[in-house]
Amino acid sequence: MDKKEQQLVEHYYEKFTNRSFDEKDLYSFLMVVKEDAQDNQVIKELCNFIVHREKCSGYVKNYLDECKQIINTLGKQKNSKRIEDLFSFKEIRNGFNSLFLKHGFEKLSSEIINDFILCIISLLQSVKLVSGSLNKEVGHLSFAASSKEVFLMGNMKTLNKGRYIPVTFQILSVKNSYEKVKPQDKNDTPYLFEDELIEVVNNDGNLVITFPGLNSIG
């Protein structure tokens, strides 16, 4: 990393510690550090996923292929494998803080890491999920929110008894400390935003989720 890149890292680190950033700032930061983070698996894979999207490779591609395999076997095996999150909160927290320590900065609080994951979820919405050598589209990612959590959800279909059944599964999740969301049922099933575009913006040091029709879920 050259001196100018280091200056940019310092700039974004200050914005992070002041909580004066939004999803666009995190995106720009990841673009600055993506080459420097090649020895940091979590940050490396998140950067590649956000930048290359449906053309991502490596760990993320293997993870999504495995998700497809699990979904294709639903109802066909007695003990179906569970789909785990792409990365846990702890893994993402440790990945970011390892990167900051490497550049001489202090670790960031869990609240700021929570902000990071929210921004990452927003940045990854609408990504197409592809499979096979022909990169056939098999699904997509969407933003979702419940009263307690915000999610990045995968959406695919599985063939069951001659019919294609939609399947939604969790890829990333984070505590919803941002917006009041009215539970839509006793299970607090997340509201899924398929067509609407969500954005995470900053309002006087607080991240705000720009839900469309907020009054209908708040």
Side-chain angles (χ1 to χ4, degrees):
M1 180 170 286
D2 61 36
K3 291 182 179 180
K4 188 60 183 180
E5 289 173 316
Q6 182 68 21
Q7 183 186 54
L8 290 170
V9 171
E10 292 175 4
H11 166 77
Y12 287 115
Y13 182 81
E14 182 175 354
K15 290 181 73 71
F16 297 152
T17 55
N18 292 333
R19 298 185 83 172
S20 61
F21 67 97
D22 59 21
E23 65 177 47
K24 296 182 179 68
D25 292 310
L26 184 63
Y27 181 91
S28 298
F29 169 75
L30 291 174
M31 296 308 97
V32 173
V33 302
K34 64 186 181 72
E35 295 302 327
D36 189 60
Q38 292 303 300
D39 60 345
N40 185 323
Q41 185 190 28
V42 173
I43 305 305
K44 171 188 173 183
E45 298 297 341
L46 288 174
C47 286
N48 289 339
F49 198 9
I50 290 170
V51 174
H52 300 297
R53 306 181 81 73
E54 67 264 22
K55 296 179 181 179
C56 67
S57 59
Y59 180 85
V60 172
K61 178 68 163 58
N62 293 336
Y63 167 84
L64 294 172
D65 285 344
E66 183 178 7
C67 290
K68 184 175 184 297
Q69 291 175 5
I70 293 172
I71 289 170
N72 286 342
T73 60
L74 288 176
K76 301 172 185 176
Q77 296 180 356
K78 290 185 178 180
N79 298 311
S80 296
K81 189 175 179 181
R82 178 185 172 133
I83 295 178
E84 303 289 345
D85 279 8
L86 175 62
F87 294 115
S88 67
F89 181 94
K90 181 179 179 180
E91 288 173 323
I92 295 174
R93 180 196 65 196
N94 291 347
F96 273 107
N97 281 333
S98 175
L99 182 66
F100 289 123
L101 288 171
K102 176 181 176 181
H103 290 283
F105 301 107
E106 294 182 0
K107 295 180 180 180
L108 294 178
S109 67
S110 294
E111 290 76 15
I112 297 175
I113 301 300
N114 207 85
D115 293 346
F116 283 1
I117 299 175
L118 174 66
C119 290
I120 289 167
I121 289 172
S122 181
L123 290 169
L124 285 171
Q125 65 185 302
S126 300
V127 170
K128 296 176 183 177
L129 301 180
V130 299
S131 180
S133 59
L134 298 178
N135 287 330
K136 179 182 177 181
E137 185 176 347
V138 297
H140 63 279
L141 303 183
S142 56
F143 191 104
S146 70
S147 66
K148 296 180 180 179
E149 294 180 280
V150 176
F151 306 91
L152 179 68
M153 304 295 276
N155 304 272
M156 294 184 184
K157 292 182 179 180
T158 184
L159 187 62
N160 186 287
K161 298 181 180 179
R163 297 177 57 192
Y164 280 100
I165 308 298
V167 178
T168 301
F169 57 98
Q170 178 179 314
I171 291 179
L172 288 174
S173 63
V174 74
K175 180 181 177 182
N176 181 10
S177 57
Y178 306 96
E179 303 288 348
K180 290 184 178 180
V181 175
K182 181 180 178 180
Q184 62 175 328
D185 55 34
K186 64 180 181 180
N187 296 319
D188 198 16
T189 301
Y191 292 85
L192 190 65
F193 297 91
E194 293 273 38
D195 301 316
E196 305 90 343
L197 191 62
I198 304 297
E199 185 176 0
V200 175
V201 300
N202 197 291
N203 183 12
D204 295 328
N206 296 302
L207 289 186
V208 175
I209 305 170
T210 60
F211 287 125
L214 180 60
N215 292 334
S216 65
I217 64 173

